[in-house]
Amino acid sequence: RGADDAGGASSIGAEDAYLRWRCRNGIAEGQGEMGADQSPPLEFNLDALNGISYTKGCYVGQERVSYSHYRGIIRRRCMPFHLEG
């Protein structure tokens, strides 16, 4: 049986589990969560997730990202937290 034949309930459960895992680990996904051209990739920990190359050639935003990385100045970061309640 293929994944499509397994039924909607299990795929919804898997999606919920994946979302919970991402939230627990502070991993944003896509433009809906990160915003297009609004936040630098370092705010969303893409450097720690190997989503940024400091040795690759030119790419959009390279100067700003490299400057922040090498200066060690990242004003905001997306971080997970847990509220008791």
Side-chain angles (χ1 to χ4, degrees):
R1 262 171 86 139
D4 294 334
D5 298 335
S10 63
S11 65
I12 291 172
E15 289 176 23
D16 288 343
Y18 175 65
L19 177 60
R20 284 193 304 275
W21 177 84
R22 283 191 317 102
C23 290
R24 272 196 313 271
N25 291 290
I27 300 173
E29 181 177 79
Q31 285 183 340
E33 294 179 9
M34 289 189 258
D37 299 329
Q38 295 176 7
S39 300
L42 295 176
E43 286 185 7
F44 294 100
N45 306 311
L46 294 183
D47 54 338
L49 297 169
N50 295 321
I52 298 173
S53 173
Y54 297 105
T55 59
K56 181 181 177 266
C58 298
Y59 56 89
V60 175
Q62 176 184 13
E63 296 85 7
R64 188 170 141 200
V65 169
S66 292
Y67 178 80
S68 296
H69 171 73
Y70 289 111
R71 292 283 306 243
I73 300 171
I74 302 163
R75 300 194 191 280
R76 295 181 293 188
R77 285 250 191 208
C78 176
M79 301 297 288
F81 63 93
H82 178 75
L83 298 175
E84 296 288 330

